Amino acid sequence: MQKIIIIKYGELTTKKDNLNFFLKTLAQNITKTLGTLATNVYFDTGRMFVEAKEENISPIIEKLSKIFGIHEIILGYKDADMEMSQIKANSLALLQELTFTTFRITTKRSNKKYPINSMEISREIGAHILKNIPGLKVDVHEPEINFNIEIRYNEILYYYETIPALGGYPVGTLGKGLLMLSGGIDSPVAGFLAIKRGIKLEAIYFESPPHTSEAAKNKVLALAKILAAYNAEIKVHVINFTQIQEGILKNMPRDYLITIMRRMMYRISAIIAHKNKCHIIVNGESIGQVASQTLTSMKCINEVVKIPVIRPVACFDKLEIIALAQKIGTYETSILPYEDCCTIFVPKHPVINPSLEKCYLYEQSVDYEKMIYEAIKNEEIIQIKNTEDMEKFKGIL
Ligand code: ATP
Ligand code: MG
């Protein structure tokens, strides 16, 4: 018998026509993420398999538990010997290693040519186990050990240990999206949820040096790195927003600062998305959370772009978002106290129900198109990978 990691797909198997595309993408994502840890990755329509040296199995499971499109990870064994006597010997050898009192044998026979049917195999193996390990009882409803035997065409699989995984779709199967990534709690969670639906993300971050620091930027890059573990890699577009922000600050009534600033962010995001073949913008807006996220504000801000804006946490409350941030590992980094360009010039009383007419009027006072062009021309691109050791973020991670 050889130890093997078996992957179950779950929801993916409902994709009839393009199942193969989904599976190929999943296999690519797994191969890329595991790198040299795995010696072989292969699949059929029912299962994916990862072969590796014994010492690499734990780190591999750790990495697989962050890959979308995997429903369950199973630590199992395979054997090409398909004789009933060998199935008995293997099952006994594996179960003898464990401590338990109740069990069941579950047999799945995808190879319908195999001469003995599933029920019979389960019965015979069950009897063999009861005869050879004293003190056991069969419990088909709630057994301590559910021992699985899968009869395939060229091999038999044995397993009793399954680890639930993330589910969702393999990253990249739904195309690309651009995440507006700030250093806050909400946007990394929004990014995670988008990745879960199979979207490959690039990120955009607006900085306002010297009002925002290098540390604030590193914090955002650190968050991108955490997300990259789910996504394989993320390209971060860093946009210098200082000139635009100062222009707005100088020329516009204070209560409209945030509204206009966010309209500018949306305009830039839409252009960056278009240039990088991203089909949607994703952000961490949550309905009612702040003045710029009332329904009228959202409508007024959204009005500057045609590209769909997806807000995965729109209907979550803050506590739900925090719980998810903790689960995915972004929370500790998000709460580090660094300033964001959205917060440095926050007026005391931002408008809650902005009017479009006023936005048009105020925006006439700055040549924002030229400033947007400049900001995009000077974008800095940082490629974040999850494989390489990114020394410079160590201090803040
Ligand atoms: P977060 O929402 O990420 O917790 P926040 O609450 O401070 O941070 P908001 O002011 O609520 O941010 O902004 C709403 C959304 O706008 C953010 O979730 C994020 O998607 C986007 N955003 C805000 N600031 C920036 C920025 N500096 N760069 C890129 N996107 C930003
Ligand atoms: Mg927020």
Side-chain angles (χ1 to χ4, degrees):
M1 275 187 291
Q2 181 199 335
K3 244 190 191 173
I4 190 159
I5 298 166
I6 306 161
I7 288 166
K8 283 196 189 176
Y9 315 131
E11 188 184 352
L12 273 195
T13 48
T14 58
K15 300 266 157 229
K16 286 202 178 59
D17 294 340
N18 47 9
L19 177 64
N20 217 32
F21 165 65
F22 275 74
L23 295 185
K24 266 195 188 147
T25 310
L26 180 60
Q28 274 165 10
N29 292 353
I30 290 176
T31 311
K32 200 166 177 184
T33 304
L34 298 184
T36 53
L37 282 177
T39 48
N40 194 13
V41 176
Y42 58 98
F43 66 93
D44 60 29
T45 50
R47 302 270 184 272
M48 198 163 286
F49 300 93
V50 179
E51 291 178 345
K53 290 200 189 112
E54 176 86 34
E55 70 263 28
N56 289 337
I57 287 186
S58 291
I60 286 181
I61 288 180
E62 175 71 29
K63 283 187 184 281
L64 290 178
S65 68
K66 287 188 169 174
I67 295 181
F68 289 110
I70 298 177
H71 184 68
E72 256 178 3
I73 305 163
I74 298 167
L75 201 51
Y77 298 82
K78 76 169 183 179
D79 193 348
D81 188 336
M82 304 182 67
E83 289 299 322
M84 201 56 191
S85 57
Q86 190 61 42
I87 303 179
K88 283 184 182 166
N90 285 345
S91 304
L92 184 60
L94 290 171
L95 285 169
Q96 260 169 345
E97 295 292 309
L98 309 173
T99 317
F100 62 100
T101 48
T102 59
F103 76 106
R104 69 170 281 177
I105 306 287
T106 307
T107 306
K108 186 172 177 241
R109 191 179 55 135
S110 45
N111 173 1
K112 298 292 178 215
K113 293 207 174 103
Y114 194 78
I116 314 171
N117 74 29
S118 305
M119 289 279 276
E120 264 175 71
I121 296 171
S122 294
R123 222 179 4 243
E124 268 199 54
I125 301 298
H128 185 67
I129 300 299
L130 286 171
K131 202 169 78 189
N132 287 282
I133 309 179
L136 295 186
K137 262 205 290 218
V138 170
D139 179 348
V140 289
H141 301 295
E142 275 185 68
E144 280 167 67
I145 298 288
N146 182 12
F147 190 80
N148 291 268
I149 301 171
E150 286 192 18
I151 315 287
R152 292 162 55 82
Y153 282 89
N154 302 313
E155 66 204 3
I156 299 199
L157 302 176
Y158 304 88
Y159 59 88
Y160 49 86
E161 234 181 311
T162 64
I163 305 158
L166 287 175
Y169 293 135
V171 174
T173 48
L174 268 289
K176 278 202 298 183
L178 181 68
L179 171 68
M180 296 173 69
L181 183 61
S182 68
I185 296 167
D186 306 331
S187 49
V189 173
F192 171 86
L193 291 170
I195 299 170
K196 182 171 184 181
R197 298 321 290 168
I199 299 165
K200 172 141 185 66
L201 289 184
E202 296 198 5
I204 184 166
Y205 167 60
F206 297 91
E207 61 169 358
S208 283
H211 313 296
T212 62
S213 63
E214 192 68 14
K217 174 176 163 186
N218 280 348
K219 177 187 173 187
V220 171
L221 297 178
L223 287 168
K225 179 158 162 53
I226 299 172
L227 285 181
Y230 298 98
N231 192 31
E233 55 192 26
I234 293 185
K235 193 200 242 183
V236 182
H237 303 261
V238 180
I239 302 288
N240 187 319
F241 204 52
T242 311
Q243 204 198 5
I244 297 175
Q245 210 164 10
E246 286 175 352
I248 297 170
L249 192 65
K250 204 160 69 197
N251 293 292
M252 321 232 168
R254 292 196 74 85
D255 59 340
Y256 267 72
L257 283 184
I258 298 282
T259 313
I260 306 285
M261 195 173 87
R262 295 193 63 78
R263 281 166 62 91
M264 299 299 170
M265 280 186 176
Y266 267 52
R267 287 183 171 110
I268 294 173
S269 299
I271 296 169
I272 296 286
H274 178 74
K275 277 177 67 174
N276 293 277
K277 302 192 169 55
C278 296
H279 306 299
I280 57 166
I281 290 173
V282 178
N283 70 30
E285 287 172 348
S286 176
I287 296 167
Q289 193 183 85
V290 284
S292 62
Q293 290 162 31
T294 61
L295 296 184
T296 40
S297 277
M298 283 165 116
K299 183 176 154 204
C300 185
I301 292 162
N302 204 147
E303 187 257 356
V304 296
V305 297
K306 284 208 182 91
I307 182 171
V309 179
I310 305 293
R311 302 169 177 87
V313 298
C315 298
F316 287 20
D317 61 45
K318 196 76 189 186
L319 291 180
E320 290 170 316
I321 300 173
I322 287 174
L324 200 45
Q326 284 167 334
K327 208 167 128 195
I328 66 174
T330 53
Y331 183 72
E332 294 301 323
T333 305
S334 286
I335 57 171
L336 293 173
Y338 292 116
E339 69 292 344
D340 180 55
C341 72
C342 267
T343 51
I344 48 175
F345 299 125
V346 177
K348 269 215 179 77
H349 299 291
V351 60
I352 288 171
N353 291 309
S355 97
L356 263 181
E357 288 67 28
K358 282 191 180 160
C359 289
Y360 296 149
L361 183 73
Y362 299 151
E363 284 177 353
Q364 278 172 15
S365 64
V366 283
D367 187 0
Y368 67 82
E369 275 177 5
K370 186 160 161 267
M371 289 195 270
I372 284 177
Y373 173 79
E374 284 294 317
I376 290 174
K377 202 176 77 185
N378 295 323
E379 75 169 324
E380 180 191 358
I381 292 176
I382 301 172
Q383 190 77 45
I384 303 280
K385 296 192 172 163
N386 76 338
T387 41
E388 76 192 41
D389 187 27
M390 301 189 76
E391 277 298 323
K392 64 177 179 171
F393 307 123
K394 277 253 169 80
I396 49 171
L397 265 174

